[in-house]
Amino acid sequence: MKRTANLPALLLLAGLLVLWQAGAMGMNAAYLLPSPVQILQRLWDLRVPLFTVHLPATLSVTGIGLVLSVGLGLLLAVSMDASGLVRRAVYPLVVASQTIPTTAIAPLFVLWFGYGIWSKVLVTVLITFFPITITVYDGLQAARVEMGELLRTFGAGRWTLFCKLKVPCALPYFFSAVKMAIPMSIIGAAIGEWLGAQCGLGYFSRRMMTQLDGAGVFAPIVLLAATAMIAVALLSALERRVVKWRGER
C-alpha cells in the first residue's frame, strides 16, 4: 500500500509533463516556453555554477531565515498562549505584517542592509514566521480543557501543564507549520535574491532572463522546487518518528 500511495501524484505529474512537452514543441519558442527536456538539459549544462555557488547561497539564506522564523514564531506563540494581554497586543500586528507586499519591502531591505545575506534573510523571516506563529498558537490552544483540569487535581503547575499537555498537543501543529514554512522560506530567499543579490538561484534566474535564456530561467526554479520537496520529505520522516501518536483516536 505504501509503495502505491504516491502513484496518483506521479501519474498526474507525468501527464502534465507530457502536455508541457507537447505545448512547448508546438510553440517552438524556447525563450518563452522551454520544454521539460530542454530545461533538464540546461540544468545539466549549468550544474557546476548552480550546485557549487548559487544553490549553497540560497540554502544559507533559507536555513538562517527558517531558524530565526521558528525561534520568533515559537516565542510569539507561547507568549500569546500564556498571556491574554500579549495576545491582544501582538496578534493584530502579526496579521498586519502579512499585508506588507514582499516585492515592495525587499528593495528597502537591500538599501538598508546592502547586498549581503541579511537583507534576504529578513525577507525570508517576514514571509515565514506568520504560519509558524499562528499554527503553533492554535496547537497550544487546542489542548483539552478537561485534561488540564485533571492534571491540576493531581497538583500539576503551569510548567507541568505546558510540558505534559500543551507541548504534545502542539507538536503536530508545529511540524505542519514548518512544512508550510519551508517552501515559503525558499520563495522568500529567491525573491530577495531576484531583487538584489550577487549570487543565489533567484539572482541566477534573473540573469538568465536578461539573456532571453528560457531554459536557464527555469533551471534554478526546478532546482528550488526539488530542494523544497526533499526538505519537506525529510521533515515528514522526522515527524513520523517523533509524533507517533498522530492520527490515533
Side-chain angles (χ1 to χ4, degrees):
M1 183 66 180
K2 292 182 179 180
R3 294 180 179 179
T4 60
N6 296 323
L7 184 59
L10 293 175
L11 292 175
L12 177 60
L13 177 61
L16 292 176
L17 289 176
V18 169
L19 290 176
W20 184 355
Q21 182 73 27
M25 292 175 63
M27 182 178 292
N28 195 23
Y31 65 95
L32 289 177
L33 183 63
S35 68
V37 174
Q38 291 173 325
I39 294 171
L40 292 177
Q41 182 178 0
R42 193 66 174 135
L43 182 61
W44 175 255
D45 294 338
L46 298 170
R47 65 188 183 279
V48 174
L50 286 177
F51 283 93
T52 62
V53 178
H54 300 290
L55 179 60
T58 300
L59 291 181
S60 298
V61 173
T62 302
I64 296 173
L66 193 59
V67 169
L68 293 178
S69 296
V70 169
L72 178 61
L74 290 178
L75 177 63
L76 292 175
V78 172
S79 300
M80 290 192 299
D81 178 70
S83 172
L85 178 62
V86 173
R87 180 184 59 80
R88 290 190 295 271
V90 172
Y91 197 97
L93 297 179
V94 172
V95 175
S97 69
Q98 299 307 293
T99 64
I100 302 174
T102 306
T103 54
I105 198 67
L108 294 178
F109 287 157
V110 174
L111 290 175
W112 295 341
F113 301 99
Y115 287 94
I117 191 174
W118 291 108
S119 57
K120 272 72 73 178
V121 168
L122 289 177
V123 175
T124 302
V125 172
L126 181 63
I127 292 177
T128 55
F129 88 96
F130 174 78
I132 297 174
T133 302
I134 300 303
T135 307
V136 174
Y137 171 72
D138 289 341
L140 294 171
Q141 289 288 300
R144 297 174 62 180
V145 176
E146 58 268 24
M147 291 294 295
E149 294 175 349
L150 178 62
L151 288 175
R152 288 190 186 93
T153 61
F154 289 101
R158 294 188 64 180
W159 178 249
T160 303
L161 287 173
F162 178 78
C163 294
K164 299 295 185 180
L165 179 61
K166 286 184 173 292
V167 169
C169 185
L171 205 53
Y173 291 81
F174 168 76
F175 278 102
S176 297
V178 177
K179 283 189 286 188
M180 287 189 295
I182 286 175
M184 296 174 67
S185 65
I186 294 177
I187 292 172
I191 290 175
E193 293 166 350
W194 182 282
L195 296 175
Q198 296 174 332
C199 60
L201 294 176
Y203 160 79
F204 190 85
S205 181
R206 180 173 61 86
R207 195 178 76 181
M208 291 296 100
M209 179 173 287
T210 61
Q211 300 175 10
L212 296 180
D213 187 347
V217 171
F218 275 91
I221 297 174
V222 171
L223 194 53
L224 285 172
T227 302
M229 292 173 64
I230 292 172
V232 172
L234 292 175
L235 186 65
S236 298
L238 177 62
E239 180 186 12
R240 287 192 294 270
R241 289 182 174 272
V242 175
V243 190
K244 297 181 179 180
W245 62 89
R246 187 166 193 169
E248 295 180 358
R249 293 187 180 273

